[in-house]
Amino acid sequence: IDLIIKEQKLSHSGLIDNSQTIKLGEIAGLNMMVTGEINQIIVTNPKKTVDTETLSKKIIKSTSTYTDQNGKTKKKYTYKTIRGTIKYHIQESSAKIIGNYQILDTETAQVISGGNVEGYYTYNYQWATFNGNKKVLDYSLQQLIKKNAESPPKKEELVNSALEILSENFYKEIKKSIQ
């Protein structure tokens, strides 16, 4: 591509007879050409964090009835405190790909537009383990402790996911540039 661009600049410099110039667009049937490169790929190693929280909740232990001084029957509740310990496990890793591109006019070899584009993908998985009385858990925590630990994606999978995002962002930039 660099050679083609140099030849185009040479053919438009005036040093070559205009009847002998070849336009890249005529050869390939193109009006524009996109060039680019990946400048950087960054992948973070999986990181696992664990946070512990002690939960407590008052529940009714027993109910008894009694008659008050006005002769009305009333209920009396005896409460107890239940407890449990939950460990929140979070596993994260990510990949970021940074690249740049240029859109060239194939007739003049001039840069029409260009810029940087990136794709960023984050893997985040959460689960929990619990020890204690499960009555202390609300619905969302009950769901969280049902999840099991899972292995994070391999580096190649992270890069592929980031590359898909980079491709989508690249497409949007190209589309925006040529409209």
Side-chain angles (χ1 to χ4, degrees):
I1 292 175
D2 289 335
L3 179 61
I4 293 170
I5 292 171
K6 285 179 185 176
E7 288 179 8
Q8 287 297 307
K9 287 182 180 178
L10 179 62
S11 71
H12 287 81
S13 69
L15 298 174
I16 295 179
D17 181 14
N18 281 342
S19 65
Q20 301 297 315
T21 62
I22 299 174
K23 296 179 180 172
L24 179 62
E26 290 176 359
I27 295 172
L30 304 172
N31 295 328
M32 290 181 259
M33 178 172 53
V34 178
T35 64
E37 64 185 356
I38 301 296
N39 303 96
Q40 197 172 28
I41 298 174
I42 305 165
V43 181
T44 62
N45 290 322
K47 180 177 112 178
K48 183 180 175 189
T49 57
V50 179
D51 291 323
T52 302
E53 181 181 7
T54 301
L55 305 172
S56 63
K57 182 178 184 179
K58 282 190 173 187
I59 64 168
I60 298 172
K61 178 180 177 181
S62 62
T63 306
S64 58
T65 57
Y66 69 95
T67 305
D68 70 6
Q69 60 189 6
N70 298 330
K72 290 186 177 183
T73 304
K74 294 197 173 193
K75 289 185 180 182
K76 179 180 179 183
Y77 300 103
T78 305
Y79 295 92
K80 74 174 186 175
T81 302
I82 56 172
R83 291 181 175 76
T85 302
I86 190 164
K87 288 186 178 184
Y88 301 97
H89 302 266
I90 301 170
Q91 196 160 272
E92 296 178 305
S93 55
S94 64
K96 181 177 184 177
I97 302 176
I98 302 169
N100 61 46
Y101 70 95
Q102 291 183 332
I103 301 173
L104 305 171
D105 181 312
T106 56
E107 192 172 312
T108 65
Q110 296 295 312
V111 176
I112 297 170
S113 70
N116 296 319
V117 65
E118 65 181 51
Y120 186 74
Y121 174 76
T122 300
Y123 167 80
N124 182 304
Y125 183 74
Q126 300 178 23
W127 74 99
T129 54
F130 181 76
N131 186 6
N133 190 325
K134 289 188 178 180
K135 290 180 181 179
V136 77
L137 299 171
D138 64 20
Y139 179 76
S140 63
L141 293 178
Q142 290 174 18
Q143 298 305 305
L144 195 58
I145 66 170
K146 288 180 182 177
K147 293 171 78 174
N148 295 319
E150 69 176 39
S151 297
K154 295 178 180 163
K155 288 184 178 186
E156 295 84 10
E157 294 169 341
L158 290 169
V159 170
N160 284 339
S161 296
L163 189 56
E164 285 179 25
I165 294 167
L166 177 121
S167 297
E168 291 170 11
N169 293 340
F170 179 62
Y171 172 76
K172 290 175 188 173
E173 288 295 319
I174 298 293
K175 190 174 178 181
K176 186 169 57 174
S177 296
I178 61 175
Q179 288 181 343

